[in-house]
Amino acid sequence: MLLSLLSLQGCLFNARSKVSIPYQAVAITGPASATLLGQLQFDILTYINIKVAISPNDADLIVEIIQDAPNSQIASYSGVGQITAYDLNDVVVFRVYDKAGNVLIPETPIFGVRSSNFSNSTVLAADIQQAQFIAEIRKELALQITIRLMALGRRNR
């Protein structure tokens, strides 16, 4: 057992601690999708030493989602004019302020993009794949917001 502990220490394994920021509770407001909201709450509780409040009245830090808008665009056509690929993207615009109204992170857009191949013979599978890609993009965007919140702890040191 001691040998395995020493080998883990040798590969720089250590338990990660949560980042501390000078706030007790955070609330998330605005038109966030269920995937973005759930992942953002999960990431905040996992990586930051803070509680997630249901109501902004119970929080001293507010993350306001201003826009969460997925979109798809045709990326390419075949030689006969059929669609062969789509670009899927999502833009989330958010801002962060404290209960006194001081803006800590101004209105900030963040983007996520995926490319998806398309075939007329697999339309249903393509729809399912696109929905999965949008969910993955939103999970990544939630982590980007969480990283920006974690930086609030470094700013106040």
Side-chain angles (χ1 to χ4, degrees):
M1 185 164 152
L2 183 59
L3 182 61
S4 64
L5 182 62
L6 290 174
S7 66
L8 284 176
Q9 182 137 7
C11 70
L12 301 175
F13 174 82
N14 59 1
R16 295 183 185 247
S17 60
K18 292 183 177 184
V19 172
S20 292
I21 62 174
Y23 301 96
Q24 301 301 315
V26 62
I28 303 162
T29 64
S33 67
T35 304
L36 180 69
L37 179 63
Q39 189 66 41
L40 186 54
Q41 290 172 340
F42 175 82
D43 289 346
I44 288 170
L45 291 171
T46 302
Y47 301 114
I48 303 174
N49 191 14
I50 195 170
K51 296 176 184 171
V52 175
I54 305 275
S55 168
N57 297 332
D58 299 331
D60 53 351
L61 184 68
I62 292 96
V63 175
E64 179 183 14
I65 305 297
I66 299 166
Q67 177 184 351
D68 179 8
N71 191 7
S72 65
Q73 298 174 346
I74 298 171
S76 65
Y77 293 95
S78 69
V80 294
Q82 291 183 334
I83 298 169
T84 58
Y86 283 99
D87 282 336
L88 305 170
N89 56 59
D90 194 1
V91 60
V92 172
V93 181
F94 73 100
R95 71 183 182 126
V96 179
Y97 57 94
D98 62 15
K99 65 182 174 185
N102 300 318
V103 176
L104 303 170
I105 300 175
E107 195 169 300
T108 305
I110 53 176
F111 303 90
V113 179
R114 290 278 190 293
S115 293
S116 173
N117 292 330
F118 179 77
S119 169
N120 286 332
S121 63
T122 59
V123 173
L124 182 58
D127 288 345
I128 293 168
Q129 184 183 36
Q130 288 179 3
Q132 290 172 340
F133 282 166
I134 292 293
E136 288 175 11
I137 291 169
R138 286 182 167 154
K139 288 178 181 180
E140 290 174 8
L141 295 176
L143 185 58
Q144 289 184 32
I145 294 170
T146 303
I147 290 169
R148 286 167 173 83
L149 291 175
M150 292 165 65
L152 294 175
R154 288 187 228 125
R155 185 183 302 169
N156 293 315
R157 284 185 183 177

